[in-house]
Amino acid sequence: IALTGVWALMRAEGERRTGETRLRPWLLHGAALALLPWLHSRFALLAGCLGALVLLRLSATKHPAGKAVAFLSVPALSAVLWMNFFRAIYGVADPSAPYGTVREFSLGFIPGGLAGLLFDQRFGLVANAPALIVGLAGLLMMLPPSPRLRRITVDSGGLADRRLALELMFIMVPYLLVATSYAMWWAGWSAPARFANPAVLILAIPCAVAWSRIENRGSRAVAAGLLAFTGFLSFVLVVTD
Protein backbone atom coordinates (compact mmCIF):
# COMPACT_ATOMS: atom_id res chain seq x y z
CA ILE A 1 0.00 0.00 0.00
CA ALA A 2 2.85 2.37 0.80
CA LEU A 3 4.25 1.76 -2.66
CA THR A 4 0.96 2.81 -4.24
CA GLY A 5 1.65 6.23 -2.71
CA VAL A 6 5.05 6.32 -4.42
CA TRP A 7 3.30 5.24 -7.62
CA ALA A 8 0.99 8.24 -7.18
CA LEU A 9 4.03 10.53 -7.02
CA MET A 10 5.25 9.10 -10.30
CA ARG A 11 1.81 9.36 -11.86
CA ALA A 12 1.59 13.03 -10.90
CA GLU A 13 4.98 13.70 -12.48
CA GLY A 14 3.82 12.00 -15.69
CA GLU A 15 0.56 13.94 -15.75
CA ARG A 16 2.47 17.19 -15.33
CA ARG A 17 4.13 16.44 -18.68
CA THR A 18 1.18 14.91 -20.53
CA GLY A 19 -1.70 17.06 -19.24
CA GLU A 20 -3.82 14.02 -18.27
CA THR A 21 -7.05 15.01 -16.49
CA ARG A 22 -8.67 11.73 -15.39
CA LEU A 23 -9.91 11.69 -11.79
CA ARG A 24 -10.55 7.98 -11.20
CA PRO A 25 -6.88 7.03 -10.65
CA TRP A 26 -6.63 9.66 -7.91
CA LEU A 27 -9.77 8.39 -6.22
CA LEU A 28 -8.18 4.91 -6.14
CA HIS A 29 -4.83 6.19 -4.89
CA GLY A 30 -6.57 8.05 -2.07
CA ALA A 31 -8.63 4.98 -1.17
CA ALA A 32 -5.47 2.86 -0.97
CA LEU A 33 -3.72 5.26 1.41
CA ALA A 34 -6.89 5.51 3.50
CA LEU A 35 -6.44 1.83 4.39
CA LEU A 36 -3.07 2.35 6.09
CA PRO A 37 -4.27 3.75 9.46
CA TRP A 38 -6.72 0.87 9.80
CA LEU A 39 -3.84 -1.62 9.69
CA HIS A 40 -1.98 0.15 12.52
CA SER A 41 -2.15 3.60 14.06
CA ARG A 42 1.50 4.37 13.32
CA PHE A 43 0.84 3.82 9.60
CA ALA A 44 -1.19 7.04 9.68
CA LEU A 45 2.17 8.81 9.56
CA LEU A 46 3.06 7.03 6.31
CA ALA A 47 -0.34 7.90 4.85
CA GLY A 48 -0.04 11.54 5.93
CA CYS A 49 3.47 12.03 4.53
CA LEU A 50 2.60 10.34 1.25
CA GLY A 51 -0.66 12.28 0.97
CA ALA A 52 1.06 15.62 1.53
CA LEU A 53 3.67 14.87 -1.14
CA VAL A 54 1.04 13.71 -3.63
CA LEU A 55 -0.95 16.92 -3.15
CA LEU A 56 2.21 18.95 -3.67
CA ARG A 57 2.91 17.10 -6.92
CA LEU A 58 -0.70 17.46 -8.06
CA SER A 59 -0.45 21.24 -7.76
CA ALA A 60 1.72 21.24 -10.88
CA THR A 61 -0.69 19.14 -12.99
CA LYS A 62 -3.70 20.14 -15.08
CA HIS A 63 -6.97 20.56 -13.08
CA PRO A 64 -5.24 20.11 -9.70
CA ALA A 65 -8.30 21.05 -7.63
CA GLY A 66 -10.48 18.29 -9.08
CA LYS A 67 -7.73 15.73 -8.65
CA ALA A 68 -7.12 16.82 -5.08
CA VAL A 69 -10.82 16.49 -4.22
CA ALA A 70 -10.90 13.00 -5.76
CA PHE A 71 -7.72 12.04 -3.93
CA LEU A 72 -8.91 13.29 -0.51
CA SER A 73 -12.57 12.19 -0.62
CA VAL A 74 -12.11 8.62 0.65
CA PRO A 75 -9.37 9.52 3.22
CA ALA A 76 -11.59 12.27 4.66
CA LEU A 77 -14.48 9.87 5.21
CA SER A 78 -12.12 7.18 6.45
CA ALA A 79 -10.56 9.57 9.00
CA VAL A 80 -13.96 10.38 10.49
CA LEU A 81 -14.83 6.68 10.78
CA TRP A 82 -11.37 5.88 12.16
CA MET A 83 -11.62 8.40 14.99
CA ASN A 84 -15.15 7.25 15.79
CA PHE A 85 -13.88 3.69 15.97
CA PHE A 86 -11.60 4.67 18.86
CA ARG A 87 -14.39 6.62 20.48
CA ALA A 88 -16.72 3.58 20.30
CA ILE A 89 -14.15 1.04 21.55
CA TYR A 90 -12.06 3.07 24.01
CA GLY A 91 -14.35 5.97 24.85
CA VAL A 92 -11.98 8.60 23.43
CA ALA A 93 -11.14 9.65 19.87
CA ASP A 94 -7.44 9.01 20.36
CA PRO A 95 -5.41 6.54 18.22
CA SER A 96 -2.95 6.07 21.10
CA ALA A 97 -5.70 4.85 23.45
CA PRO A 98 -4.98 1.11 22.91
CA TYR A 99 -1.42 1.53 24.15
CA GLY A 100 -2.18 2.82 27.63
CA THR A 101 0.59 4.73 29.36
CA VAL A 102 2.87 6.97 27.35
CA ARG A 103 5.87 5.88 29.40
CA GLU A 104 6.65 3.25 26.78
CA PHE A 105 7.30 6.04 24.26
CA SER A 106 10.11 8.58 24.55
CA LEU A 107 12.43 10.56 22.32
CA GLY A 108 15.24 9.24 24.47
CA PHE A 109 14.66 5.75 23.09
CA ILE A 110 15.32 6.84 19.49
CA PRO A 111 19.17 6.69 19.32
CA GLY A 112 19.40 3.17 20.74
CA GLY A 113 16.24 2.02 19.00
CA LEU A 114 17.36 3.30 15.62
CA ALA A 115 20.80 1.72 15.95
CA GLY A 116 19.23 -1.57 17.01
CA LEU A 117 16.56 -1.49 14.32
CA LEU A 118 19.25 -1.11 11.67
CA PHE A 119 22.26 -3.07 12.97
CA ASP A 120 21.26 -5.45 15.78
CA GLN A 121 22.51 -8.96 14.91
CA ARG A 122 19.19 -10.66 15.59
CA PHE A 123 16.58 -8.01 14.85
CA GLY A 124 18.48 -5.45 12.75
CA LEU A 125 17.35 -4.56 9.24
CA VAL A 126 20.76 -4.18 7.60
CA ALA A 127 22.17 -7.16 9.50
CA ASN A 128 19.45 -9.45 8.11
CA ALA A 129 18.97 -7.79 4.70
CA PRO A 130 22.38 -6.38 3.71
CA ALA A 131 21.14 -5.89 0.15
CA LEU A 132 19.42 -2.75 1.45
CA ILE A 133 22.86 -1.16 1.76
CA VAL A 134 22.61 -0.81 -2.01
CA GLY A 135 19.36 1.10 -1.50
CA LEU A 136 21.04 3.53 0.88
CA ALA A 137 23.80 3.99 -1.69
CA GLY A 138 21.14 4.61 -4.32
CA LEU A 139 19.63 7.39 -2.24
CA LEU A 140 23.02 9.11 -2.18
CA MET A 141 23.38 8.64 -5.94
CA MET A 142 20.02 10.36 -6.44
CA LEU A 143 21.23 13.42 -4.52
CA PRO A 144 23.62 15.47 -6.69
CA PRO A 145 26.34 16.73 -4.33
CA SER A 146 26.94 20.20 -5.77
CA PRO A 147 25.12 23.04 -7.58
CA ARG A 148 27.39 22.54 -10.58
CA LEU A 149 26.47 18.88 -10.86
CA ARG A 150 22.80 19.72 -10.47
CA ARG A 151 23.08 22.10 -13.44
CA ILE A 152 24.76 19.43 -15.50
CA THR A 153 22.12 16.81 -14.73
CA VAL A 154 19.01 18.87 -15.49
CA ASP A 155 18.55 17.36 -18.94
CA SER A 156 19.25 13.81 -17.76
CA GLY A 157 16.62 13.82 -15.04
CA GLY A 158 19.04 14.48 -12.20
CA LEU A 159 16.86 17.09 -10.53
CA ALA A 160 13.84 14.78 -10.74
CA ASP A 161 15.93 12.06 -9.07
CA ARG A 162 16.98 14.47 -6.35
CA ARG A 163 13.40 15.49 -5.63
CA LEU A 164 12.27 11.86 -5.49
CA ALA A 165 15.12 10.97 -3.13
CA LEU A 166 14.16 13.79 -0.77
CA GLU A 167 10.52 12.70 -0.93
CA LEU A 168 11.41 9.10 -0.10
CA MET A 169 13.48 10.31 2.86
CA PHE A 170 10.55 12.51 3.95
CA ILE A 171 8.41 9.35 4.05
CA MET A 172 10.86 6.95 5.70
CA VAL A 173 12.78 9.04 8.24
CA PRO A 174 9.83 10.36 10.33
CA TYR A 175 8.25 6.91 10.34
CA LEU A 176 11.45 5.24 11.55
CA LEU A 177 11.88 7.88 14.27
CA VAL A 178 8.34 7.24 15.53
CA ALA A 179 8.84 3.45 15.37
CA THR A 180 12.06 3.63 17.39
CA SER A 181 10.58 5.93 20.04
CA TYR A 182 8.86 2.79 21.37
CA ALA A 183 10.82 1.10 24.18
CA MET A 184 10.52 -2.40 22.67
CA TRP A 185 11.85 -1.47 19.21
CA TRP A 186 12.45 -5.14 18.33
CA ALA A 187 8.68 -5.76 18.51
CA GLY A 188 8.87 -8.84 20.71
CA TRP A 189 8.94 -12.31 19.20
CA SER A 190 8.87 -11.32 15.55
CA ALA A 191 10.68 -11.14 12.25
CA PRO A 192 13.71 -8.80 12.13
CA ALA A 193 12.95 -5.07 11.98
CA ARG A 194 9.19 -5.64 11.97
CA PHE A 195 8.45 -2.02 12.85
CA ALA A 196 10.56 -0.83 9.90
CA ASN A 197 9.15 -3.21 7.31
CA PRO A 198 6.22 -1.07 6.05
CA ALA A 199 8.71 1.54 4.82
CA VAL A 200 11.39 -0.88 3.58
CA LEU A 201 9.87 -1.63 0.17
CA ILE A 202 10.27 2.04 -0.72
CA LEU A 203 14.03 1.35 -0.89
CA ALA A 204 13.38 -0.83 -3.95
CA ILE A 205 13.53 2.30 -6.11
CA PRO A 206 16.93 3.53 -4.83
CA CYS A 207 18.17 -0.08 -5.11
CA ALA A 208 17.18 -0.08 -8.78
CA VAL A 209 18.82 3.31 -9.34
CA ALA A 210 22.06 2.12 -7.75
CA TRP A 211 22.09 -1.14 -9.72
CA SER A 212 21.51 0.70 -13.01
CA ARG A 213 24.33 3.17 -12.32
CA ILE A 214 27.00 0.78 -11.05
CA GLU A 215 29.66 0.51 -13.76
CA ASN A 216 32.51 -1.12 -11.86
CA ARG A 217 32.42 -4.93 -12.11
CA GLY A 218 33.73 -5.33 -8.59
CA SER A 219 31.00 -3.11 -7.13
CA ARG A 220 28.36 -4.96 -9.12
CA ALA A 221 29.70 -8.28 -7.83
CA VAL A 222 29.53 -6.98 -4.24
CA ALA A 223 25.93 -5.83 -4.78
CA ALA A 224 24.99 -9.21 -6.26
CA GLY A 225 26.67 -10.95 -3.32
CA LEU A 226 24.72 -8.85 -0.83
CA LEU A 227 21.51 -9.75 -2.64
CA ALA A 228 22.35 -13.46 -2.65
CA PHE A 229 23.26 -13.40 1.05
CA THR A 230 20.01 -11.57 1.83
CA GLY A 231 18.07 -14.26 -0.04
CA PHE A 232 19.89 -16.96 1.95
CA LEU A 233 19.17 -15.26 5.29
CA SER A 234 15.51 -14.83 4.34
CA PHE A 235 15.29 -18.54 3.44
CA VAL A 236 16.80 -19.53 6.80
CA LEU A 237 14.43 -17.27 8.72
CA VAL A 238 11.40 -18.68 6.88
CA VAL A 239 12.21 -22.40 7.14
CA THR A 240 13.58 -22.42 10.72
CA ASP A 241 10.82 -22.69 13.36
Side-chain angles (χ1 to χ4, degrees):
I1 295 176
L3 279 178
T4 67
V6 181
W7 179 14
L9 295 176
M10 299 296 91
R11 183 187 295 275
E13 177 63 20
E15 292 191 1
R16 182 184 67 82
R17 297 192 300 266
T18 64
E20 176 67 56
T21 58
R22 288 189 304 155
L23 300 181
R24 184 172 178 270
W26 297 108
L27 178 67
L28 297 176
H29 278 299
L33 292 183
L35 291 174
L36 280 172
W38 291 96
L39 299 179
H40 197 285
S41 294
R42 70 176 181 272
F43 298 165
L45 183 61
L46 285 176
C49 290
L50 282 163
L53 292 172
V54 170
L55 290 174
L56 189 61
R57 289 258 189 176
L58 283 178
S59 66
T61 65
K62 193 173 182 179
H63 298 318
K67 293 175 181 177
V69 169
F71 178 70
L72 292 174
S73 57
V74 176
L77 175 61
S78 178
V80 173
L81 296 175
W82 188 54
M83 298 306 290
N84 276 280
F85 162 80
F86 290 104
R87 182 183 295 277
I89 300 298
Y90 300 101
V92 57
D94 181 2
S96 67
Y99 306 103
T101 175
V102 297
R103 287 179 296 179
E104 296 180 349
F105 296 87
S106 171
L107 295 178
F109 295 145
I110 292 177
L114 192 59
L117 196 66
L118 294 177
F119 304 112
D120 181 75
Q121 183 176 357
R122 182 176 181 183
F123 292 104
L125 180 64
V126 174
N128 288 277
L132 295 178
I133 295 174
V134 179
L136 299 177
L139 276 175
L140 295 178
M141 292 180 182
M142 296 167 71
L143 292 169
S146 68
R148 178 176 178 272
L149 182 56
R150 289 200 293 272
R151 288 195 298 270
I152 293 173
T153 57
V154 167
D155 293 335
S156 62
L159 292 181
D161 285 350
R162 182 173 185 270
R163 177 175 181 175
L164 179 60
L166 293 173
E167 288 173 333
L168 297 182
M169 292 170 64
F170 180 77
I171 298 165
M172 292 187 293
V173 171
Y175 174 79
L176 292 177
L177 292 179
V178 169
T180 53
S181 67
Y182 182 51
M184 193 172 63
W185 57 264
W186 57 91
W189 186 261
S190 67
R194 179 166 69 86
F195 284 167
N197 288 342
V200 165
L201 287 178
I202 294 173
L203 285 175
I205 295 173
C207 281
V209 170
W211 183 261
S212 68
R213 295 185 182 180
I214 293 176
E215 298 178 355
N216 182 276
R217 287 187 176 182
S219 299
R220 188 173 288 271
V222 169
L226 292 174
L227 179 60
F229 188 56
T230 299
F232 169 73
L233 287 177
S234 299
F235 172 78
V236 171
L237 288 169
V238 169
V239 301
T240 304
D241 293 333

PDB file of all heavy atoms in Angstrom, residues 7-27:
ATOM      1  N   TRP A   7       3.841   5.315  -6.258  1.00  0.00           N
ATOM      2  CA  TRP A   7       3.301   5.239  -7.621  1.00  0.00           C
ATOM      3  C   TRP A   7       2.513   6.507  -7.939  1.00  0.00           C
ATOM      4  O   TRP A   7       2.605   7.055  -9.047  1.00  0.00           O
ATOM      5  CB  TRP A   7       2.411   3.997  -7.725  1.00  0.00           C
ATOM      6  CG  TRP A   7       1.753   3.766  -9.049  1.00  0.00           C
ATOM      7  CD1 TRP A   7       2.044   4.365 -10.252  1.00  0.00           C
ATOM      8  CD2 TRP A   7       0.684   2.865  -9.321  1.00  0.00           C
ATOM      9  NE1 TRP A   7       1.216   3.890 -11.237  1.00  0.00           N
ATOM     10  CE2 TRP A   7       0.383   2.971 -10.690  1.00  0.00           C
ATOM     11  CE3 TRP A   7      -0.033   1.979  -8.534  1.00  0.00           C
ATOM     12  CZ2 TRP A   7      -0.634   2.200 -11.287  1.00  0.00           C
ATOM     13  CZ3 TRP A   7      -1.030   1.216  -9.127  1.00  0.00           C
ATOM     14  CH2 TRP A   7      -1.325   1.336 -10.490  1.00  0.00           C
ATOM     15  N   ALA A   8       1.751   7.003  -6.966  1.00  0.00           N
ATOM     16  CA  ALA A   8       0.992   8.238  -7.180  1.00  0.00           C
ATOM     17  C   ALA A   8       1.921   9.415  -7.450  1.00  0.00           C
ATOM     18  O   ALA A   8       1.621  10.291  -8.277  1.00  0.00           O
ATOM     19  CB  ALA A   8       0.103   8.517  -5.971  1.00  0.00           C
ATOM     20  N   LEU A   9       3.056   9.461  -6.757  1.00  0.00           N
ATOM     21  CA  LEU A   9       4.029  10.529  -7.015  1.00  0.00           C
ATOM     22  C   LEU A   9       4.511  10.470  -8.459  1.00  0.00           C
ATOM     23  O   LEU A   9       4.637  11.497  -9.138  1.00  0.00           O
ATOM     24  CB  LEU A   9       5.220  10.402  -6.060  1.00  0.00           C
ATOM     25  CG  LEU A   9       4.944  10.605  -4.569  1.00  0.00           C
ATOM     26  CD1 LEU A   9       6.215  10.353  -3.763  1.00  0.00           C
ATOM     27  CD2 LEU A   9       4.429  12.008  -4.304  1.00  0.00           C
ATOM     28  N   MET A  10       4.784   9.265  -8.926  1.00  0.00           N
ATOM     29  CA  MET A  10       5.254   9.099 -10.304  1.00  0.00           C
ATOM     30  C   MET A  10       4.152   9.428 -11.314  1.00  0.00           C
ATOM     31  O   MET A  10       4.405  10.004 -12.362  1.00  0.00           O
ATOM     32  CB  MET A  10       5.743   7.664 -10.514  1.00  0.00           C
ATOM     33  CG  MET A  10       6.916   7.250  -9.635  1.00  0.00           C
ATOM     34  SD  MET A  10       8.408   8.200  -9.993  1.00  0.00           S
ATOM     35  CE  MET A  10       8.245   9.569  -8.828  1.00  0.00           C
ATOM     36  N   ARG A  11       2.929   9.053 -10.973  1.00  0.00           N
ATOM     37  CA  ARG A  11       1.806   9.363 -11.856  1.00  0.00           C
ATOM     38  C   ARG A  11       1.628  10.875 -11.987  1.00  0.00           C
ATOM     39  O   ARG A  11       1.395  11.399 -13.085  1.00  0.00           O
ATOM     40  CB  ARG A  11       0.518   8.730 -11.331  1.00  0.00           C
ATOM     41  CG  ARG A  11      -0.691   8.958 -12.255  1.00  0.00           C
ATOM     42  CD  ARG A  11      -1.981   8.464 -11.619  1.00  0.00           C
ATOM     43  NE  ARG A  11      -1.980   7.030 -11.424  1.00  0.00           N
ATOM     44  CZ  ARG A  11      -2.326   6.150 -12.370  1.00  0.00           C
ATOM     45  NH1 ARG A  11      -2.688   6.584 -13.574  1.00  0.00           N
ATOM     46  NH2 ARG A  11      -2.326   4.871 -12.110  1.00  0.00           N
ATOM     47  N   ALA A  12       1.742  11.576 -10.872  1.00  0.00           N
ATOM     48  CA  ALA A  12       1.589  13.029 -10.904  1.00  0.00           C
ATOM     49  C   ALA A  12       2.678  13.667 -11.757  1.00  0.00           C
ATOM     50  O   ALA A  12       2.413  14.617 -12.513  1.00  0.00           O
ATOM     51  CB  ALA A  12       1.629  13.588  -9.484  1.00  0.00           C
ATOM     52  N   GLU A  13       3.900  13.164 -11.658  1.00  0.00           N
ATOM     53  CA  GLU A  13       4.982  13.698 -12.482  1.00  0.00           C
ATOM     54  C   GLU A  13       4.694  13.459 -13.959  1.00  0.00           C
ATOM     55  O   GLU A  13       4.930  14.329 -14.801  1.00  0.00           O
ATOM     56  CB  GLU A  13       6.309  13.035 -12.076  1.00  0.00           C
ATOM     57  CG  GLU A  13       7.504  13.464 -12.906  1.00  0.00           C
ATOM     58  CD  GLU A  13       7.827  14.943 -12.785  1.00  0.00           C
ATOM     59  OE1 GLU A  13       7.395  15.570 -11.801  1.00  0.00           O
ATOM     60  OE2 GLU A  13       8.516  15.474 -13.674  1.00  0.00           O
ATOM     61  N   GLY A  14       4.168  12.280 -14.299  1.00  0.00           N
ATOM     62  CA  GLY A  14       3.822  12.000 -15.690  1.00  0.00           C
ATOM     63  C   GLY A  14       2.695  12.881 -16.190  1.00  0.00           C
ATOM     64  O   GLY A  14       2.733  13.367 -17.327  1.00  0.00           O
ATOM     65  N   GLU A  15       1.679  13.106 -15.338  1.00  0.00           N
ATOM     66  CA  GLU A  15       0.557  13.938 -15.750  1.00  0.00           C
ATOM     67  C   GLU A  15       0.952  15.399 -15.875  1.00  0.00           C
ATOM     68  O   GLU A  15       0.327  16.154 -16.636  1.00  0.00           O
ATOM     69  CB  GLU A  15      -0.600  13.776 -14.761  1.00  0.00           C
ATOM     70  CG  GLU A  15      -1.234  12.394 -14.807  1.00  0.00           C
ATOM     71  CD  GLU A  15      -2.526  12.311 -14.029  1.00  0.00           C
ATOM     72  OE1 GLU A  15      -2.956  13.349 -13.465  1.00  0.00           O
ATOM     73  OE2 GLU A  15      -3.118  11.213 -13.977  1.00  0.00           O
ATOM     74  N   ARG A  16       1.974  15.817 -15.153  1.00  0.00           N
ATOM     75  CA  ARG A  16       2.472  17.187 -15.329  1.00  0.00           C
ATOM     76  C   ARG A  16       2.981  17.391 -16.749  1.00  0.00           C
ATOM     77  O   ARG A  16       2.814  18.470 -17.335  1.00  0.00           O
ATOM     78  CB  ARG A  16       3.593  17.462 -14.330  1.00  0.00           C
ATOM     79  CG  ARG A  16       4.153  18.883 -14.387  1.00  0.00           C
ATOM     80  CD  ARG A  16       5.315  19.046 -13.441  1.00  0.00           C
ATOM     81  NE  ARG A  16       6.459  18.261 -13.864  1.00  0.00           N
ATOM     82  CZ  ARG A  16       7.349  18.640 -14.789  1.00  0.00           C
ATOM     83  NH1 ARG A  16       7.191  19.814 -15.395  1.00  0.00           N
ATOM     84  NH2 ARG A  16       8.362  17.872 -15.108  1.00  0.00           N
ATOM     85  N   ARG A  17       3.579  16.343 -17.322  1.00  0.00           N
ATOM     86  CA  ARG A  17       4.128  16.441 -18.678  1.00  0.00           C
ATOM     87  C   ARG A  17       3.076  16.203 -19.756  1.00  0.00           C
ATOM     88  O   ARG A  17       3.115  16.819 -20.812  1.00  0.00           O
ATOM     89  CB  ARG A  17       5.276  15.445 -18.846  1.00  0.00           C
ATOM     90  CG  ARG A  17       6.467  15.699 -17.926  1.00  0.00           C
ATOM     91  CD  ARG A  17       7.664  14.870 -18.352  1.00  0.00           C
ATOM     92  NE  ARG A  17       7.382  13.444 -18.323  1.00  0.00           N
ATOM     93  CZ  ARG A  17       7.656  12.662 -17.269  1.00  0.00           C
ATOM     94  NH1 ARG A  17       8.197  13.191 -16.185  1.00  0.00           N
ATOM     95  NH2 ARG A  17       7.378  11.371 -17.308  1.00  0.00           N
ATOM     96  N   THR A  18       2.130  15.296 -19.490  1.00  0.00           N
ATOM     97  CA  THR A  18       1.178  14.914 -20.534  1.00  0.00           C
ATOM     98  C   THR A  18      -0.117  15.707 -20.495  1.00  0.00           C
ATOM     99  O   THR A  18      -0.853  15.738 -21.482  1.00  0.00           O
ATOM    100  CB  THR A  18       0.843  13.419 -20.412  1.00  0.00           C
ATOM    101  OG1 THR A  18       0.181  13.182 -19.146  1.00  0.00           O
ATOM    102  CG2 THR A  18       2.107  12.571 -20.490  1.00  0.00           C
ATOM    103  N   GLY A  19      -0.452  16.317 -19.346  1.00  0.00           N
ATOM    104  CA  GLY A  19      -1.705  17.056 -19.237  1.00  0.00           C
ATOM    105  C   GLY A  19      -2.912  16.172 -18.999  1.00  0.00           C
ATOM    106  O   GLY A  19      -4.053  16.608 -19.220  1.00  0.00           O
ATOM    107  N   GLU A  20      -2.721  14.947 -18.563  1.00  0.00           N
ATOM    108  CA  GLU A  20      -3.817  14.016 -18.275  1.00  0.00           C
ATOM    109  C   GLU A  20      -4.752  14.613 -17.216  1.00  0.00           C
ATOM    110  O   GLU A  20      -4.315  15.258 -16.260  1.00  0.00           O
ATOM    111  CB  GLU A  20      -3.237  12.692 -17.766  1.00  0.00           C
ATOM    112  CG  GLU A  20      -4.264  11.664 -17.339  1.00  0.00           C
ATOM    113  CD  GLU A  20      -5.081  11.152 -18.512  1.00  0.00           C
ATOM    114  OE1 GLU A  20      -4.482  10.655 -19.477  1.00  0.00           O
ATOM    115  OE2 GLU A  20      -6.325  11.290 -18.451  1.00  0.00           O
ATOM    116  N   THR A  21      -6.075  14.394 -17.404  1.00  0.00           N
ATOM    117  CA  THR A  21      -7.051  15.012 -16.494  1.00  0.00           C
ATOM    118  C   THR A  21      -7.976  13.999 -15.820  1.00  0.00           C
ATOM    119  O   THR A  21      -8.905  14.396 -15.128  1.00  0.00           O
ATOM    120  CB  THR A  21      -7.919  16.024 -17.259  1.00  0.00           C
ATOM    121  OG1 THR A  21      -8.585  15.355 -18.340  1.00  0.00           O
ATOM    122  CG2 THR A  21      -7.068  17.169 -17.803  1.00  0.00           C
ATOM    123  N   ARG A  22      -7.763  12.720 -15.987  1.00  0.00           N
ATOM    124  CA  ARG A  22      -8.666  11.726 -15.388  1.00  0.00           C
ATOM    125  C   ARG A  22      -8.639  11.816 -13.858  1.00  0.00           C
ATOM    126  O   ARG A  22      -7.598  12.049 -13.254  1.00  0.00           O
ATOM    127  CB  ARG A  22      -8.272  10.315 -15.818  1.00  0.00           C
ATOM    128  CG  ARG A  22      -8.584   9.984 -17.279  1.00  0.00           C
ATOM    129  CD  ARG A  22      -8.353   8.507 -17.545  1.00  0.00           C
ATOM    130  NE  ARG A  22      -6.984   8.120 -17.184  1.00  0.00           N
ATOM    131  CZ  ARG A  22      -6.618   6.877 -16.851  1.00  0.00           C
ATOM    132  NH1 ARG A  22      -7.530   5.914 -16.796  1.00  0.00           N
ATOM    133  NH2 ARG A  22      -5.351   6.605 -16.566  1.00  0.00           N
ATOM    134  N   LEU A  23      -9.795  11.605 -13.241  1.00  0.00           N
ATOM    135  CA  LEU A  23      -9.914  11.692 -11.789  1.00  0.00           C
ATOM    136  C   LEU A  23      -9.934  10.318 -11.109  1.00  0.00           C
ATOM    137  O   LEU A  23      -9.539  10.202  -9.947  1.00  0.00           O
ATOM    138  CB  LEU A  23     -11.192  12.447 -11.411  1.00  0.00           C
ATOM    139  CG  LEU A  23     -11.302  13.888 -11.909  1.00  0.00           C
ATOM    140  CD1 LEU A  23     -12.613  14.501 -11.423  1.00  0.00           C
ATOM    141  CD2 LEU A  23     -10.124  14.724 -11.458  1.00  0.00           C
ATOM    142  N   ARG A  24     -10.400   9.296 -11.824  1.00  0.00           N
ATOM    143  CA  ARG A  24     -10.555   7.975 -11.204  1.00  0.00           C
ATOM    144  C   ARG A  24      -9.257   7.431 -10.600  1.00  0.00           C
ATOM    145  O   ARG A  24      -9.282   6.884  -9.490  1.00  0.00           O
ATOM    146  CB  ARG A  24     -11.123   6.984 -12.224  1.00  0.00           C
ATOM    147  CG  ARG A  24     -11.405   5.600 -11.651  1.00  0.00           C
ATOM    148  CD  ARG A  24     -12.159   4.731 -12.662  1.00  0.00           C
ATOM    149  NE  ARG A  24     -12.394   3.394 -12.155  1.00  0.00           N
ATOM    150  CZ  ARG A  24     -11.558   2.375 -12.327  1.00  0.00           C
ATOM    151  NH1 ARG A  24     -10.436   2.562 -13.017  1.00  0.00           N
ATOM    152  NH2 ARG A  24     -11.842   1.172 -11.840  1.00  0.00           N
ATOM    153  N   PRO A  25      -8.111   7.540 -11.283  1.00  0.00           N
ATOM    154  CA  PRO A  25      -6.879   7.029 -10.652  1.00  0.00           C
ATOM    155  C   PRO A  25      -6.591   7.681  -9.304  1.00  0.00           C
ATOM    156  O   PRO A  25      -6.105   7.015  -8.378  1.00  0.00           O
ATOM    157  CB  PRO A  25      -5.792   7.371 -11.683  1.00  0.00           C
ATOM    158  CG  PRO A  25      -6.513   7.437 -12.981  1.00  0.00           C
ATOM    159  CD  PRO A  25      -7.844   8.023 -12.655  1.00  0.00           C
ATOM    160  N   TRP A  26      -6.926   8.970  -9.166  1.00  0.00           N
ATOM    161  CA  TRP A  26      -6.631   9.662  -7.912  1.00  0.00           C
ATOM    162  C   TRP A  26      -7.597   9.262  -6.808  1.00  0.00           C
ATOM    163  O   TRP A  26      -7.232   9.229  -5.634  1.00  0.00           O
ATOM    164  CB  TRP A  26      -6.632  11.168  -8.146  1.00  0.00           C
ATOM    165  CG  TRP A  26      -5.547  11.513  -9.108  1.00  0.00           C
ATOM    166  CD1 TRP A  26      -5.673  11.900 -10.405  1.00  0.00           C
ATOM    167  CD2 TRP A  26      -4.146  11.399  -8.860  1.00  0.00           C
ATOM    168  NE1 TRP A  26      -4.436  12.058 -10.988  1.00  0.00           N
ATOM    169  CE2 TRP A  26      -3.478  11.756 -10.058  1.00  0.00           C
ATOM    170  CE3 TRP A  26      -3.392  11.046  -7.754  1.00  0.00           C
ATOM    171  CZ2 TRP A  26      -2.097  11.756 -10.171  1.00  0.00           C
ATOM    172  CZ3 TRP A  26      -2.005  11.042  -7.849  1.00  0.00           C
ATOM    173  CH2 TRP A  26      -1.372  11.405  -9.052  1.00  0.00           C
ATOM    174  N   LEU A  27      -8.825   8.938  -7.189  1.00  0.00           N
ATOM    175  CA  LEU A  27      -9.771   8.385  -6.222  1.00  0.00           C
ATOM    176  C   LEU A  27      -9.242   7.063  -5.672  1.00  0.00           C
ATOM    177  O   LEU A  27      -9.296   6.799  -4.468  1.00  0.00           O
ATOM    178  CB  LEU A  27     -11.132   8.191  -6.889  1.00  0.00           C
ATOM    179  CG  LEU A  27     -12.227   7.576  -6.010  1.00  0.00           C
ATOM    180  CD1 LEU A  27     -12.608   8.532  -4.887  1.00  0.00           C
ATOM    181  CD2 LEU A  27     -13.459   7.224  -6.851  1.00  0.00           C
TER     182      LEU A  27
END
